[in-house]
């Protein structure tokens, strides 16, 4: 094998791996919300999980990527260990699609149909179509489709380069002698494990084996143990990913590894004993790219007989990764493993943001209760909630920044931008809850209290603030646009009530019915209520603007505050009457 052939092999391998990476990433991005829907459908039914594993791997073009993602799901508590088993088994079978596509390089024949399905015939057409979509289309989904076509074209070009570079070795005795060593089952399995662990993809590893098979030196006897080893080697990614994860996440990786090891232990001896008892000439014949695909699919299909033993695999994983007495299992919803699947990572961010929002809103409503009836435990709860909300903001913000460096769809990118805006507003709401606590403590320390009229009037304002908080939370969690449009009119009513309460306090002050000290505290309370309603307005406006794919919250607020919207005026009049200070 000369220098030219070696460089051609290296160059082909580089193009092959690059094309596979581009195609897989683009397929995943193009799937977008559909991938998220598939993943959210996971149930405890092993067969449904199996189908989901097949489908997800077909989309992502990598069983390693699917199983790493499953480890992340288990670590995050999104799915249980039991639910992961069917998905893991399905991922194994789903990875058989790519080798069949790659086997087209081994197609030969002179008739029109055979010529048509040869890569040299259709791949250039796909490449040109991909370039046209990428360069002349503005639609992001069409651009993603272009990248899929280009990735596949580059992959196939790389495959043909590798195949062409080794064809000259067909009669090389030294090369054939090396390949003959792989017929040793132990050595063949080890080679498969090692090579797949290096390239981190069983599909890529099998593709390279298919390219080498073009030399004619790889027999079925040599291919079987190597393919089995490749299926074990693909578990390395999940095993590495599980380091530092929860016990159940480590167990999911163990299930993936043990499934492939046990399948190899069972079927490799059966294969060799079978060919001893029933000698078949085909075993010593050259496998070729199509033959490699057949061996790979056949092994993974036979391995499905182990699927009914999912409970036993779960028990085995628990035996290997044991529970520690007194150890509390913790989950991590914002798992870095999910960053490789931006659509799913965004969904996890939203779930955590919802928890943060609920905590911030409940803490402020608890703080309001302290004004009428002080409770030390309730104040402590408010302060603890504020500290937790701060942690949420830091974790979500950091995660979203990491996610922003990934290749996302326009929809996911907009969602990430929205969440970054929203977590700041929710965090500020919990800060204002602490301010309310401080004002209450100031009243207690100075032994001052609100007058009966001031307390009655303030109750109208606190009721309005409680409602605007509830409406904002509903609008955010459910993306409820009907509720979102009601927030800004109520915010204007809160501003109106604040002004009225300050004016009435000045009147009582002039009559000697209130003190200046109480006035300072009341002003602080009113300012916090008004600021909270402002943050609610920002959140609702963000929900509305994102629905129209325009991140211009301030423009929206200017339009509604200008009073040029009949709907806004109708809601404003409704809330103004509902929270009128002088109503009976």
């Amino acid at each position: 094998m000369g220098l030219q052939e070696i460089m051609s092999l290296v160059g082909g391998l580089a193009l092959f791996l690059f094309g596979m990476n581009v195609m897989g990433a683009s397929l995943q991005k193009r799937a977008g919300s559909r991938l998220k829907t598939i993943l959210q459908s996971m149930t405890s039914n092993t067969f449904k999980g199996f189908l989901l594993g097949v489908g997800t791997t077909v989309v992502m073009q990598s069983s390693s990527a699917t199983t790493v993602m499953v480890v992340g799901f288990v670590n995050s508590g999104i799915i249980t260990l039991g639910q992961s088993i069917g998905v893991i088994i399905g991922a194994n079978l789903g990875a058989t699609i790519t080798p069949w596509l790659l086997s087209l390089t081994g197609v030969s024949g002179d008739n029109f149909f055979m010529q048509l399905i040869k890569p040299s015939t259709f791949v250039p057409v796909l490449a040109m179509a991909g370039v046209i979509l990428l360069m002349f289309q503005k639609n992001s989904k069409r651009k993603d489709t272009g990248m899929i076509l280009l990735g596949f074209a580059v992959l196939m070009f790389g495959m043909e380069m590798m195949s062409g570079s080794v064809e000259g070795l067909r009669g090389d005795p030294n090369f054939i002698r090396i390949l003959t060593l792989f017929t040793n089952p132990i050595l063949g399995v080890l080679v498969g494990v090692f090579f797949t662990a290096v390239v981190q993809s069983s599909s890529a590893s099998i593709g390279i084996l298919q390219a080498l098979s073009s030399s004619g030196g790889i027999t079925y006897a040599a291919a079987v143990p190597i393919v089995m080893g490749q299926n074990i080697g693909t578990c390395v990614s999940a095993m590495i990913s599980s380091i530092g994860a929860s016990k159940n996440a480590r167990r999911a990786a163990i299930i993936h590894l043990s499934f492939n090891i046990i399948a190899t232990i069972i079927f490799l001896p059966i294969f060799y004993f079978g060919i001893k008892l029933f000698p078949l000439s085909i075993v010593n014949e050259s496998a070729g790219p199509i033959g490699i695909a057949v061996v790979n699919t056949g092994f993974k299909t036979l391995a499905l007989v182990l699927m009914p033993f999912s409970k036993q695999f779960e028990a085995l994983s628990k035996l290997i990764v044991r529970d520690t007495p007194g150890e509390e299992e913790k989950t991590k919803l914002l798992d870095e493993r999910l960053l490789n699947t931006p659509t799913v990572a965004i969904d996890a961010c939203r779930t955590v943001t919802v928890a943060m929002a609920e905590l911030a809103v409940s803490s402020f409503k608890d703080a309001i209760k302290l004004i009428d009836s002080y409770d030390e435990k309730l104040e402590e709860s408010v302060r603890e909630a504020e500290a937790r909300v701060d942690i949420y903001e830091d974790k979500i913000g950091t995660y979203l920044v990491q996610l922003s460096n990934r290749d996302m769809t326009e929809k996911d990118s907009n969602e990430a931008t929205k969440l970054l805006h929203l977590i700041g507003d929710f965090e500020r709401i919990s800060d204002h809850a602490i301010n309310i606590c401080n004002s209450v403590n100031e009243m207690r320390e100075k032994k001052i209290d609100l007058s009966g009229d001031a307390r009655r009037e303030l109750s109208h304002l606190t009721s309005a603030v409680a409602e605007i908080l509830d409406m904002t939370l509903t609008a955010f969690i459910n993306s409820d646009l009907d509720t979102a449009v009601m927030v800004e009119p109520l915010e204007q009513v809160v501003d109106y009530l604040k002004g009225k309460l300050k004016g009435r306090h000045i009147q009582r002050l002039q009559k000697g019915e209130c003190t200046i000290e109480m006035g300072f505290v009341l002003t602080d309370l009113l300012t916090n209520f008004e600021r909270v309603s402002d943050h609610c307005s920002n959140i609702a406006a963000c929900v509305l603007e994102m629905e129209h794919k325009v991140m211009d919250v301030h423009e929206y607020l200017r339009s509604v505050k200008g009073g040029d919207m009949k709907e806004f005026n109708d809601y404003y009049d409704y809330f103004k009457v509902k929270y009128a200070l002088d109503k009976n």
Side-chain angles (χ1 to χ4, degrees), residues 379 383 431 433-443 445:
E379 181 190 356
R383 294 186 181 278
D431 285 345
I434 297 299
N435 294 343
I436 298 295
C437 291
N438 294 338
S439 294
V440 170
N441 283 327
E442 184 180 351
M443 291 168 60
E445 290 170 3

Side-chain angles (χ1 to χ4, degrees), residues 166-184:
V166 298
E167 279 184 357
L169 298 174
R170 185 179 293 273
D172 190 322
N174 294 322
F175 183 70
I176 294 173
R177 191 180 306 115
I178 293 173
L179 293 180
T180 305
L181 295 175
F182 296 159
T183 55
N184 180 305

Side-chain angles (χ1 to χ4, degrees), residues 250-265:
R250 298 198 301 274
R251 288 166 178 164
I254 289 293
I255 289 171
H256 186 212
L257 178 64
S258 59
F259 178 83
N260 284 291
I261 289 177
I262 290 173
T264 298
I265 290 173

